[in-house]
Amino acid sequence: RAHQCGKQRRKRHYFPDPASRSERLRQNNAGKETKMSDSLIKILIAEDDDKLRHELEVFLGRNGYEAVGLGRYDNTLLDILEADADLILLDINLPNADGEFILKELRKVSDVPVIMITSRDNEMDELLSMHYGADHYVTKPFNIQILLAKIVAILKRTNNAASQEKINCGMF
């Protein structure tokens, strides 16, 4: 299977919350000793297909993430917010909820990265999702390794953006 290739065990991804990371960078710059957080990155999977949700949980877990599947969809937006995830994989077609509406409402209170995972492959749904604030739009079936690469890229970008400090360029 494509997502299990390579016999090496992968390094776990550790990213603390951006505020504490910025503080550690400032301490490093001052020559003080710092301590890394040991919490895993939490990825919430809001997918109603039990088989796919479980496969994603296992795959992401084996790649060093804390993958949590959302199992019920009666109060989806509140459940997503309470999960306090670092990234969300969100299906558009959820029972009792529309993923695009959830994304739109989520963006009113959070800027957590969101990758839409859906069987809808028309341009209008992709355009709406991107307009509402999705970071990526992936259509089923998809290559799980490419999804992982997108997750890594988004997390790298969002964690670095929060901790970058201004650089004094003098006359430039």
Side-chain angles (χ1 to χ4, degrees), residues 70-83 94-97 102:
L70 195 60
R72 51 176 240 241
Y73 301 96
D74 52 339
N75 203 354
T76 309
L77 182 59
L78 183 60
D79 292 340
I80 288 173
L81 290 170
E82 287 178 353
L94 294 172
N96 305 323
I102 291 169

Side-chain angles (χ1 to χ4, degrees), residues 2-104:
H3 65 273
Q4 292 180 344
C5 61
K7 295 183 180 180
Q8 287 180 277
R9 186 173 184 147
R10 293 177 188 248
K11 190 174 180 180
R12 293 196 180 268
H13 303 276
Y14 294 97
F15 291 98
D17 64 276
S20 66
R21 186 164 191 250
S22 295
E23 183 60 32
R24 280 197 320 281
L25 286 173
R26 276 190 225 99
Q27 289 175 354
N28 253 353
N29 292 337
K32 296 180 183 175
E33 199 170 303
T34 61
K35 187 176 183 180
M36 285 297 289
S37 170
D38 59 353
S39 62
L40 294 175
I41 291 197
K42 185 176 184 179
I43 298 176
L44 179 69
I45 305 164
E47 167 63 57
D48 62 326
D49 180 339
D50 293 335
K51 183 178 177 188
L52 178 57
R53 184 176 64 237
H54 179 70
E55 183 177 324
L56 286 168
E57 287 174 7
V58 170
F59 176 75
L60 292 170
R62 287 183 181 164
N63 281 280
Y65 297 98
E66 178 187 355
V68 178
L70 195 60
R72 51 176 240 241
Y73 301 96
D74 52 339
N75 203 354
T76 309
L77 182 59
L78 183 60
D79 292 340
I80 288 173
L81 290 170
E82 287 178 353
D84 194 30
D86 298 298
L87 184 137
I88 299 167
L89 300 177
L90 179 62
D91 188 7
I92 291 179
N93 300 318
L94 294 172
N96 305 323
D98 174 55
E100 289 170 340
F101 176 77
I102 291 169
L103 175 63
K104 186 177 180 180

Side-chain angles (χ1 to χ4, degrees), residues 106-125:
L106 180 66
R107 283 294 175 245
K108 292 178 181 178
V109 295
S110 174
D111 62 351
V112 63
V114 176
I115 298 176
M116 302 302 283
I117 297 180
T118 183
S119 57
R120 294 187 191 177
D121 62 353
N122 67 55
E123 291 175 350
M124 187 54 109
D125 283 315

